[in-house]
Amino acid sequence: GDSVTQMEGPVTLSEEAFLTINCTYTATGYPSLFWYVQYPGEGLQLLLKATKADDKGSNKGFEATYRKETTSFHLEKGSVQVSDSAVYFCANTRAVGGSNYKLTFGKGTLLTVNP
Amino acid sequence: SQTIHQWPATLVQPVGSPLSLECTVEGTSNPNLYWYRQAAGRGLQLLFYSVGIGQISSEVPQNLSASRPQDRQFILSSKKLLLSDSGFYLCAWTGGAGDTQYFGPGTRLTVL
């Protein structure tokens, strides 16, 4: 079945440090790949997505590239801010019939950025 | 633009009591709707999804049920809550043929 594995946290960085959160997946076919972010006490927000191999998703300084050969979708940011402190979830999606899709999530990585 | 609402935001219920959580979507029609649970220390688990009024698919057999009485309304229910039902419940939607899910603000349920 489909699965998503992301690096376990927590990850603690200083402001302006470089961030990488690793994510690998298993899936049949060609899933879309996502990163969601969850701030404390809130729901999940879509951060970025990629729908096919070699696509790069980007938003708010975050980037991730769909690597089919390594089945990876690592999240990166060149210079993190305190406001980036949150839990980050990697996910892939597959069709479960008609126009319906199922998301499979990783377990989440807690990022704390210190001033 | 589309907006998704969930209520209540927080709920504390005794074991054995009933439950009703509501999710509504604005600004779109015929969305696919989803209920997830995020339990402490665990990942996100898909509970139910719906492609239309009265159409519910269950992912995991459990103490919960879902209903979709209107196009943009999705309800999660239980007749008798268990301690293990505690968690953060998230509703999500997709539109058309899209596979991107958009999440609501969530409901924090504590069963005592």
Side-chain angles (χ1 to χ4, degrees), chain A residues 15-46:
Chain A
E15 206 164 24
E16 299 183 3
F18 184 85
L19 168 71
T20 299
I21 301 178
N22 291 336
C23 172
T24 57
Y25 67 91
T26 62
T28 55
Y30 302 95
S32 294
L33 302 174
F34 303 83
W35 278 100
Y36 284 87
V37 58
Q38 185 177 32
Y39 298 101
E42 299 184 9
L44 273 67
Q45 297 179 24
L46 176 67

Side-chain angles (χ1 to χ4, degrees), chain A residues 77-100:
Chain A
K77 186 173 186 181
S79 176
V80 293
Q81 305 300 313
V82 172
S83 57
D84 293 327
S85 298
V87 179
Y88 292 81
F89 291 92
C90 184
N92 68 10
T93 188
R94 64 177 173 86
V96 292
S99 64
N100 207 22

Side-chain angles (χ1 to χ4, degrees), chain A residues 32 36 38 49 99-100, chain B residues 32 34 38 49 99-101:
Chain A
S32 294
Y36 284 87
Q38 185 177 32
K49 67 178 283 190
S99 64
N100 207 22
Chain B
N32 292 338
Y34 305 81
Q38 188 177 28
Y49 63 90
D99 62 356
T100 301
Q101 292 186 20

Side-chain angles (χ1 to χ4, degrees), chain A residues 61-114:
Chain A
F62 290 90
E63 295 183 339
T65 301
Y66 191 143
R67 301 289 188 196
K68 185 172 179 294
E69 64 276 12
T70 55
T71 61
S72 65
F73 193 53
H74 305 321
L75 182 68
E76 297 182 336
K77 186 173 186 181
S79 176
V80 293
Q81 305 300 313
V82 172
S83 57
D84 293 327
S85 298
V87 179
Y88 292 81
F89 291 92
C90 184
N92 68 10
T93 188
R94 64 177 173 86
V96 292
S99 64
N100 207 22
Y101 293 85
K102 177 182 176 181
L103 275 174
T104 300
F105 286 91
K107 292 187 176 180
T109 302
L110 173 63
L111 170 66
T112 302
V113 180
N114 295 318

Side-chain angles (χ1 to χ4, degrees), chain A residues 6-12 108-111:
Chain A
Q6 61 183 103
M7 65 185 287
E8 294 188 17
V11 174
T12 303
T109 302
L110 173 63
L111 170 66

Side-chain angles (χ1 to χ4, degrees), chain B residues 5-101:
Chain B
H5 303 279
Q6 287 187 245
W7 60 88
T10 306
L11 191 60
V12 180
Q13 291 286 92
V15 170
S17 64
L19 173 74
S20 181
L21 303 181
E22 188 168 343
C23 169
T24 58
V25 181
E26 295 178 354
T28 187
S29 59
N30 197 31
N32 292 338
L33 297 171
Y34 305 81
W35 277 113
Y36 290 85
R37 178 169 60 200
Q38 188 177 28
R42 297 167 63 181
L44 284 143
Q45 180 184 39
L46 177 63
L47 303 176
F48 301 94
Y49 63 90
S50 171
V51 299
I53 295 173
Q55 301 179 63
I56 308 295
S57 297
S58 174
E59 281 289 299
V60 182
Q62 58 209 314
N63 186 42
L64 302 169
S65 62
S67 61
R68 185 167 175 176
Q70 299 180 42
D71 181 45
R72 292 171 289 175
Q73 184 185 35
F74 204 23
I75 296 173
L76 184 70
S77 304
S78 174
K79 292 182 180 179
K80 289 186 177 181
L81 283 168
L82 306 172
L83 286 174
S84 57
D85 291 324
S86 293
F88 193 46
Y89 288 82
L90 291 159
C91 183
W93 73 276
T94 62
D99 62 356
T100 301
Q101 292 186 20

